[in-house]
Amino acid sequence: MITAIGLGTDPTMRHFLSIAARLGERVQFIDLLDVVSAPWEVRLSPGETSFVSALPPFRGQSDGDGSYYCRLIDLGGVDPTRRDIWGAMIAAVSAWLELYDGTVVNRPGHVNDNACKPLHETQLARLGFSVPPSFTGSARDELIAFTVAGKTVAKAASGQRADSRTVTEADFTDYREESGPVHLQRFVEGEDVRAHVIGNEVIAVRIRSGAADYRLDRDAHFDPCTLPEDLNGRFRRATAEFGLAFAGWDLRVGPSDIWVLEANPMPGYSFYDTRLEGRLTQALLRHLRARHGPGQAS
Amino acid sequence: MIADATDTFVGAFAAFAVADGWDAERLNYAEAAQRFSIARNGSVVRVTPASPLLLRLPAAVGAWASPEAQFHHAEICSVVWAAAALTAAPVINRPDTYGFLSRATSCATVLRRRTGQRTGGVEIYSNALPAPPVPETEWWAEPYNSRSPAPWTPQDLRKGPFRAGHVRPGFVLHTVVVAAGVAFDETSPTDVLDASVRVCRELGLKFALVTWRHYRNTGETILVRVSPQPTLDQVGPYFNAVADRLLVELAA
């Protein structure tokens, strides 16, 4: 049995459940919005753990007989009266899934530096990937100096907001340093490619768009593509090294190089899957049907 | 030193450092984020200024903070995380790709798994106070995030959610301060001190408070908790030795 744990309001989770149902795969869904509103309990003891919720009625045990696809989103930030309950529940379910004997995508306890872009980009570069230069800071003069040296994109350092946009010196005219810090990255010319690593599979799609952020471009065009196998191998190894079974790699393919922008540990993959006719969900289901215990990311 | 204004350990440490001849500056997270710049080209990164850092954990954003304030807080924390992780200067409790806590966690069962320690008693998380399946006297409970365990009682009036668990009687509690590879607790046996240092190394922590339950009759020692932010009270009589040890590490 495959169990999905997440939010019913999450478009990616709804997409997964919809495609799975269409493919005839039986998936049980645990909506955290329901769990948090009713009694729940996570019990951790040597050799035996369990997660029990009243809403929906669910009992997950530690015997590893079943797989889990989880997108654990903590709504405590937008539900302040229940912030502690959300925090406790997410922490408890995360602990249970980390200790679970069977397949979990993605098992909690993995590398988390995607929430810290300057560190994440450095780690990607240290793994040997080409990563566009970046500058992070609050000082106006330094931000302008980086910006005028080449076409520049501003991104959220924490990854909390996914939008990125090109910036010029003019964007810093009214900038106040106390509103910083700002994370800037050099824009590199080329085509956007998104590669999803799911276990041993790599499924890539090329995106043609004139916008700095193709996700905001309604005229963007999507084509499945194949990346060099040695690069696929590097993505698979890096994904596993991060403790992940499923990651979304954002790339920019230039005339002479393939640039890596980030590896997303909880990819909102539905946007791409609808353009790939469900291939990503099919690969995810294949991985979930196989047994991968702790220590085996893929 | 990057810390909340209310952090009394940092206040005392700053005074100790100045008395020892250091230039010591105390910044909160917003001030620190304003101060740092991180320039990266390929895998070569330069963090400016490159000052030795004593890093404490960021305070949570207010529960009722606006989305914009929450976002700004996240950006500030992210930049301090990156700067402290990437700086070439010495850092006490350098964050890494796992986060500010590195591999430390408040969940005892996961903590033991991650550090290869002996398993302990059952640990339960629940939105309501769990009812103990063992004699009540062997059961403890604490409101989540409070770090205030107390003997279980059915009349517990504290607000949930709760973390609770079972503890076998007959133990002695050992609390060890670890500072840059040196353990401090006069009452702990040598093997507990050594284990405390090993656990901190395993978790990537240079400064922490490590709590154990030790059963004399069986010789078992069970890891209870690792706090990466020891308070001034918790460091207690070892403050001077701890501060001295931390300064040696920061001077390296």
Side-chain angles (χ1 to χ4, degrees), chain A residues 9 30 39 52 60 81 117 121 125 133-135 144 159 174 177-178 190 205 208 215 221 234 265 281 288:
Chain A
T9 52
I30 308 301
V52 177
T81 59
K117 293 288 187 266
E121 291 163 8
S134 66
F135 178 82
I144 289 174
D174 297 324
E177 293 190 353
E178 57 268 28
V205 60
R208 269 172 266 199
R215 290 165 295 190
H221 195 72
R234 293 173 65 199
T281 301
L288 287 164

Side-chain angles (χ1 to χ4, degrees), chain A residues 33-281:
Chain A
L33 274 162
D34 291 332
V35 173
V36 81
S37 305
W40 58 265
E41 180 184 281
V42 169
R43 186 172 292 242
L44 309 171
S45 65
E48 188 183 344
T49 66
S50 65
F51 166 38
V52 177
S53 70
L55 193 67
F58 172 75
R59 183 177 190 90
Q61 308 249 182
S62 59
D63 55 15
D65 186 21
S67 299
Y68 290 85
Y69 173 49
C70 58
R71 288 177 58 84
L72 304 181
I73 298 169
D74 184 348
L75 290 186
V78 296
D79 187 2
T81 59
R82 296 194 295 183
R83 184 162 88 162
D84 280 354
I85 297 175
W86 274 102
M89 182 198 50
I90 295 294
V93 174
S94 295
W96 178 71
L97 287 168
E98 180 168 341
L99 299 170
Y100 181 69
D101 278 338
T103 302
V104 180
V105 178
N106 277 317
R107 187 180 299 276
H110 56 74
V111 161
N112 192 36
D113 64 1
N114 192 261
C116 179
K117 293 288 187 266
L119 177 59
H120 180 64
E121 291 163 8
T122 303
Q123 292 306 106
L124 292 173
R126 287 175 178 171
L127 285 171
F129 295 110
S130 297
V131 185
S134 66
F135 178 82
T136 313
S138 299
R140 186 169 172 275
D141 290 349
E142 291 180 321
L143 292 167
I144 289 174
F146 183 87
T147 302
V148 299
K151 195 171 178 186
T152 300
V153 173
K155 300 178 171 182
S158 63
Q160 267 208 4
R161 290 177 184 170
D163 299 350
S164 57
R165 65 183 188 95
T166 51
V167 290
T168 65
E169 184 178 357
D171 290 300
F172 293 97
T173 304
D174 297 324
Y175 167 74
R176 295 175 303 114
E177 293 190 353
E178 57 268 28
S179 67
V182 181
H183 180 63
L184 303 175
Q185 190 171 39
R186 190 66 67 223
F187 179 88
V188 290
E189 297 293 343
E191 290 185 318
D192 287 297
V193 171
R194 170 78 162 210
H196 287 90
V197 175
I198 306 150
N200 287 325
E201 300 186 58
V202 182
I203 299 171
V205 60
R206 184 193 306 116
I207 304 109
R208 269 172 266 199
S209 166
D213 190 338
Y214 62 80
R215 290 165 295 190
L216 307 176
D217 181 0
R218 289 187 178 180
D219 296 325
H221 195 72
F222 295 76
D223 294 304
C225 65
T226 304
L227 296 171
E229 185 47 38
D230 64 321
L231 187 60
N232 284 342
R234 293 173 65 199
F235 289 147
R236 284 194 292 266
R237 283 192 295 278
T239 300
E241 197 172 308
F242 297 155
L244 302 170
F246 182 29
W249 288 75
D250 284 332
L251 318 174
R252 186 68 59 79
V253 178
S256 58
D257 208 343
I258 296 179
W259 299 89
V260 174
L261 304 180
E262 70 165 310
N264 193 321
M266 191 162 74
Y269 78 94
S270 56
F271 177 81
Y272 307 93
D273 205 28
T274 53
R275 292 153 176 89
L276 288 170
E277 297 171 342
R279 284 178 57 197
L280 296 173
T281 301

Side-chain angles (χ1 to χ4, degrees), chain B residues 131-140 151-155 165-166:
Chain B
V134 294
E136 292 174 7
T137 53
E138 297 179 15
W139 194 250
W140 57 269
W152 186 90
T153 164
Q155 290 85 32
H166 172 239

